[in-house]
């Protein structure tokens, strides 16, 4: 064989080798990842039903110790949580040993300490299930049931970045007032035959108390994250100005994402993809009020974006506030795992899954049917938005592989 022919043959073999590596081996890797995403989805669906059961088999630890050990930089709780029902049972039944005004914020809440020393945040019922909050997408009081629904949606999406939440009924007269601090007790009043309180917060007013049905108040309790994981607050890059006539830069600059990508912690690591996951989460629940967000301290951008304070959600099922999706349609990137999960949830699966997940909560039914129907409509809008991105830039640019090993040792 002549030298020239040998060179040509070697060149052809080299091209075949490169083709095999890039297109076949890489595709095998992608297929393996997709198969794992599908298996994870089926595991999630199989564990949707959480029975609130006090039994903790094979351990001498308290529910609070178990939940504290779940927390790692990228997850609040692991994928497999056989003790979840016991932890949530404790949250909704353990004796309240202290009650105080809530931590800093704009909305009414109470800080409770349960038997065993566990802190939880109690948010009272303000609206009936079928009440529609009109006005701006961030209008109205906090919705306690929205916190419950958002937690279960976090489970269904596979994010696992929201603290545990469960519904609870409390007797204000016998469970709260005897253990309340003077500061909280001073905000109690009686309206008609109902016991009420207005607490202490930026928008808390004596003229706008939350009232029980007699003495029994419905609400949600959110498990406080362990003190060994202090939080760091960040201004959301796609936050609103909350001032009439004044737009944030992202609302008029379509190239805004390019600027965000040049600033820390969005220039490297998982944080920008977390922002986009959160935009999808918030759009589904109708939360246009995430002006700040929290991560764990000293994380150098590696911590998850923690999905705290989701109560400004599920206000108006007829309002699909598209601007919440700005991080997605301006950056046009999304995790492959998130994209896969969203596709598994289409065609009514999301509505059915969330309804099942919430069915055994003490305050069930948690959401009205119009809110459940709105989830499926919003999911279709998200999928269409991603398709527009892939049509414009191609799937190799838009779909980002970002799987991080999560240790629960």
């Amino acid at each position: 064989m002549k030298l020239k022919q040998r060179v040509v043959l070697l060149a052809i073999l080299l091209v075949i080798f490169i083709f095999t590596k890039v297109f076949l081996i890489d595709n095998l890797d992608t297929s393996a990842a997709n198969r794992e995403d599908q298996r994870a989805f089926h595991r999630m669906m199989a564990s949707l039903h959480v029975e609130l059961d006090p039994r903790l088999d094979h351990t001498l630890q308290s529910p609070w110790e178990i939940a504290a050990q779940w927390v790692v930089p990228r997850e609040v709780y692991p994928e497999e949580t056989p003790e979840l029902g016991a932890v949530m049972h404790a949250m909704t039944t353990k004796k309240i040993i202290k009650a105080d005004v809530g931590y800093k914020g704009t909305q009414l809440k109470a800080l409770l300490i349960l038997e065993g020393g566990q802190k939880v945040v109690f948010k009272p019922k303000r609206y009936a299930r079928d009440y529609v909050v009109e006005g701006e997408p961030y209008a109205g009081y906090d919705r306690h049931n929205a916190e419950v629904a958002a937690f279960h949606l976090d489970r269904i999406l596979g994010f696992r970045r929201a603290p545990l939440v469960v519904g609870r009924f409390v007797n204000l007269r016998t469970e709260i007032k005897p253990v309340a601090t003077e500061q909280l007790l001073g905000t109690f009043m009686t309206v008609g035959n109902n016991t009420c309180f207005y607490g202490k917060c930026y928008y808390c007013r004596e003229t706008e108390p939350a009232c029980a049905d007699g003495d029994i108040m419905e609400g949600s309790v959110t498990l406080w994250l362990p003190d060994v994981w202090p939080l760091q607050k960040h201004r959301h890059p796609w936050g609103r100005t909350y001032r009439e006539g004044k737009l944030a830069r992202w609302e008029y600059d379509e190239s805004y994402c390019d600027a965000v990508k040049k600033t820390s912690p969005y220039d490297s690591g998982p944080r920008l993809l977390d922002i986009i996951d959160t935009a999808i989460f918030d759009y589904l629940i109708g939360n246009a009020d995430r002006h700040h967000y929290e991560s764990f301290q000293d994380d150098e951008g590696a911590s998850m974006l923690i999905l705290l304070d989701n109560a400004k959600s599920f206000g108006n099922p007829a309002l699909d506030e598209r601007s919440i999706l700005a991080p997605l349609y301006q950056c046009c990137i999304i995790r492959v795992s998130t994209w896969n999960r969203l596709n598994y949830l289409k065609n009514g699966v999301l509505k059915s899954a969330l309804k099942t997940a919430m069915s055994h909560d003490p305050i069930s039914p948690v959401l009205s049917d119009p809110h459940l129907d709105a989830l499926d409509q919003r999911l279709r809008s998200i999928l269409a938005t991603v398709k527009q991105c892939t049509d414009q830039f191609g799937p190799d640019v838009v779909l980002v592989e970002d799987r991080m090993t999560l240790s629960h040792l």
Side-chain angles (χ1 to χ4, degrees):
M1 186 181 291
K2 294 181 180 179
L3 180 61
K4 185 176 180 180
Q5 290 174 318
R6 289 176 180 175
V7 170
V8 171
L9 180 60
L10 286 172
I12 293 171
L13 290 173
L14 181 62
V15 169
I16 292 173
F17 173 77
I18 293 171
F19 176 88
T20 301
K21 181 181 185 305
V22 172
F23 292 96
L24 298 184
I25 296 177
D26 286 358
N27 282 343
L28 284 174
D29 290 343
T30 302
S31 296
N34 288 341
R35 285 196 298 272
E36 175 51 35
D37 285 345
Q38 194 166 38
R39 285 193 292 268
F41 173 72
H42 288 308
R43 288 194 297 269
M44 179 278 296
M45 291 293 286
S47 63
L48 270 180
H49 173 87
V50 179
E51 185 120 17
L52 272 59
D53 188 331
R55 290 174 298 179
L56 274 173
D57 299 327
H58 313 301
T59 181
L60 295 176
Q61 292 179 302
S62 73
W64 316 137
E65 290 170 327
I66 291 169
Q69 290 175 356
W70 285 342
V71 181
V72 294
R74 295 293 308 168
E75 288 184 331
V76 174
Y77 54 94
E79 179 184 14
E80 296 183 14
T81 51
E83 309 91 352
L84 181 60
V87 175
M88 296 177 74
H89 181 272
M91 291 169 63
T92 199
T93 61
K94 285 288 187 183
K95 182 179 179 181
I96 300 165
I97 60 175
K98 185 178 179 181
D100 200 356
V101 295
Y103 58 93
K104 292 180 181 178
T106 62
Q107 298 289 313
L108 173 61
K109 61 185 75 71
L111 179 62
L112 309 181
I113 299 180
L114 304 183
E115 187 177 15
Q118 178 63 51
K119 296 177 186 176
V120 295
V121 176
F122 178 80
K123 294 189 177 181
K125 177 182 177 180
R126 289 288 209 166
Y127 301 114
R129 294 292 191 273
D130 58 355
Y131 185 87
V132 175
V133 180
E134 303 285 357
E136 298 291 345
Y138 44 81
Y141 300 120
D142 275 359
R143 277 77 80 178
H144 72 297
N145 57 317
E147 290 281 14
V148 176
F151 163 67
H152 288 288
L153 180 63
D154 175 67
R155 292 175 57 218
I156 290 166
L157 292 175
F159 293 162
R160 299 188 291 281
R161 301 171 202 156
L164 275 59
V165 184
V166 67
R168 178 165 180 163
F169 291 93
V170 297
N171 187 310
L172 295 182
R173 181 176 57 84
T174 63
E175 291 186 90
I176 300 294
K177 292 181 76 172
V179 296
T181 62
E182 289 186 10
Q183 195 172 25
L184 177 61
L185 199 56
T187 72
F188 273 77
M189 60 175 64
T190 301
V191 178
N193 295 321
N194 302 319
T195 303
C196 311
F197 76 102
Y198 58 89
K200 186 176 181 182
C201 68
Y202 187 81
Y203 289 123
C204 290
R205 302 285 187 272
E206 187 175 353
T207 54
E208 300 179 34
C211 291
D213 183 4
D215 292 324
I216 306 300
M217 175 170 277
E218 178 184 319
S220 66
V221 286
T222 302
L223 195 69
W224 195 272
L225 290 169
D227 292 338
V228 295
W229 293 97
L231 301 182
Q232 181 175 350
K233 195 170 188 176
H234 310 264
R235 183 175 295 278
H236 196 299
W238 276 269
R240 301 172 189 276
T241 65
Y242 296 92
R243 284 188 280 178
E244 188 175 352
K246 183 173 176 58
L247 298 177
R249 179 178 168 183
W250 63 267
E251 294 180 277
Y252 60 83
D253 183 357
E254 286 300 316
S255 64
Y256 176 70
C257 185
D258 294 333
V260 173
K261 288 177 180 178
K262 295 174 184 176
T263 61
S264 178
Y266 312 107
D267 54 349
S268 63
R271 188 62 59 78
L272 182 57
L273 288 165
D274 282 1
I275 288 280
I276 289 161
D277 280 348
T278 303
I280 290 167
F281 177 81
D282 283 340
Y283 181 69
L284 286 170
I285 65 178
N287 178 20
D289 195 42
R290 204 175 294 280
H291 42 83
H292 289 80
Y293 68 85
E294 285 81 14
S295 69
F296 292 129
Q297 278 185 11
D298 303 321
D299 64 339
E300 297 181 353
S303 161
M304 62 185 156
L305 189 164
I306 304 167
L307 297 173
L308 283 171
D309 292 334
N310 303 307
K312 280 293 184 75
S313 309
F314 297 106
N316 187 345
L319 177 62
D320 297 338
E321 182 55 48
R322 181 166 169 76
S323 65
I324 301 172
L325 280 181
L328 175 63
Y329 60 70
Q330 290 183 353
C331 296
C332 266
I333 56 173
I334 184 175
R335 283 188 171 99
V336 172
S337 57
T338 301
W339 173 242
N340 286 340
R341 181 60 62 98
L342 294 174
N343 276 283
Y344 298 147
L345 290 167
K346 63 187 180 183
N347 298 325
V349 176
L350 176 57
K351 170 186 174 178
S352 176
L354 187 58
K355 194 170 184 177
T356 299
M358 301 185 301
S359 61
H360 285 273
D361 192 275
I363 65 167
S364 180
V366 178
L367 294 178
S368 65
D369 285 338
H371 283 296
L372 291 167
D373 293 335
L375 282 166
D376 284 334
Q377 165 59 33
R378 292 167 188 167
L379 176 57
R380 288 192 290 272
S381 296
I382 293 167
L383 296 175
T385 299
V386 177
K387 186 178 186 305
Q388 290 172 355
C389 288
T390 55
D391 288 348
Q392 183 175 357
F393 300 107
D396 291 343
V397 172
V398 176
L399 305 180
V400 179
E401 189 60 73
D402 176 48
R403 297 166 198 271
M404 305 182 71
T405 302
L406 304 171
S407 173
H408 284 274
L409 298 178

